[in-house]
Amino acid sequence: GQNIDQPTEMTATEGAIVQINCTYQTSGFNGLFWYQQHAGEAPTFLSYNVLDGLEEKGRFSSFLSRSKGYSYLLLKELQMKDSASYLCAVSGSNYQLIWGAGTKLIIKP
Amino acid sequence: DTGVSQDPRHKITKRGQNVTFRCDPISEHNRLYWYRQTLGQGPEFLTYFQNEAQLEKSRLLSDRFSAERPKGSFSTLEIQRTEQGDSAMYLCASGTSGGGDEQFFGPGTRLTVL
């Protein structure tokens, strides 16, 4: 079967660094996406990885290891506005997105 | 605003009624997706279109759900004989075909079935 696993909830402190992990098992792989979703709002795109390695975009970075079926999203210099759910999604063999349940990130002052 | 739009934003209906939602994608996008999302879960795929062709429909989707994209532009999602379990956020997303197919989401329609 196809499966995406990520922690349900994480807590971090303003100004700190947090790493949100995602493991996946899918039939086919055409890339991995990270989306941010604030409560009551639609998901917004953060990053896309299709090759192994680290992609850096400002305070956010995303890493992929295809052999391990593993990715992480790294958030630096956390701000209160980063409190949101972070969704990991994999593009499978038919280019459909398979979504994880999301990680709720709580930022404390 | 050139993003994805959805209408209505909120819908409250009584069990057994039919509802229809509309999605207007980004104009140059040929793919359009419908998802359903409940609290604490990721989006659940319902169906998607490439231009006007409906290419895939989730096996989880009952016969009460139907979607159209008649001219390859806007799309409608209809739910017939609504049930309380249909209460959810219905999200529409658009994108272009290809491996790096980033999907752009609309604001969603929140459906409450009483």
Side-chain angles (χ1 to χ4, degrees), chain A residues 27-103:
Chain A
S27 56
F29 180 83
N30 287 296
L32 185 144
F33 295 81
W34 283 96
Y35 279 78
Q36 181 190 60
Q37 187 174 28
H38 285 99
E41 298 181 9
T44 55
F45 171 80
L46 289 178
S47 68
Y48 170 70
N49 294 68
V50 67
L51 299 176
D52 290 351
L54 188 67
E55 294 279 343
E56 297 186 78
K57 191 185 293 185
R59 294 189 299 114
F60 292 7
S61 303
S62 56
F63 172 83
L64 175 68
S65 169
R66 288 171 297 171
S67 62
K68 294 182 180 179
Y70 168 70
S71 173
Y72 68 72
L73 180 69
L74 192 71
L75 292 76
K76 303 176 185 175
E77 300 168 16
L78 286 170
Q79 302 174 9
M80 297 303 293
K81 67 178 183 179
D82 297 330
S83 292
S85 286
Y86 291 84
L87 297 160
C88 173
V90 172
S91 179
S93 57
N94 59 356
Y95 295 97
Q96 293 303 306
L97 285 186
I98 305 148
W99 294 83
T103 298

Side-chain angles (χ1 to χ4, degrees), chain B residues 91-106:
Chain B
L91 294 166
C92 174
S94 71
T96 55
S97 51
D101 184 8
E102 174 189 343
Q103 296 182 18
F104 295 82
F105 283 83

Side-chain angles (χ1 to χ4, degrees), chain B residues 2-16:
Chain B
T2 56
V4 180
S5 61
Q6 292 185 244
D7 182 70
R9 296 290 306 275
H10 303 273
K11 179 70 177 179
I12 300 173
T13 191
K14 292 182 179 179
R15 189 174 51 187

Side-chain angles (χ1 to χ4, degrees), chain B residues 13-21 36 57 61-68 76-87 90 111 113:
Chain B
T13 191
K14 292 182 179 179
R15 189 174 51 187
Q17 298 295 304
N18 299 344
V19 294
T20 300
F21 309 143
R36 177 170 60 190
K57 185 175 176 180
L61 214 59
S62 77
D63 292 342
R64 298 185 296 108
F65 287 71
S66 62
E68 294 183 344
T76 56
L77 176 69
E78 181 183 17
I79 309 174
Q80 296 181 326
R81 305 181 302 282
T82 52
E83 302 172 356
Q84 287 186 324
D86 297 333
S87 295
Y90 289 83
L111 174 66
V113 182

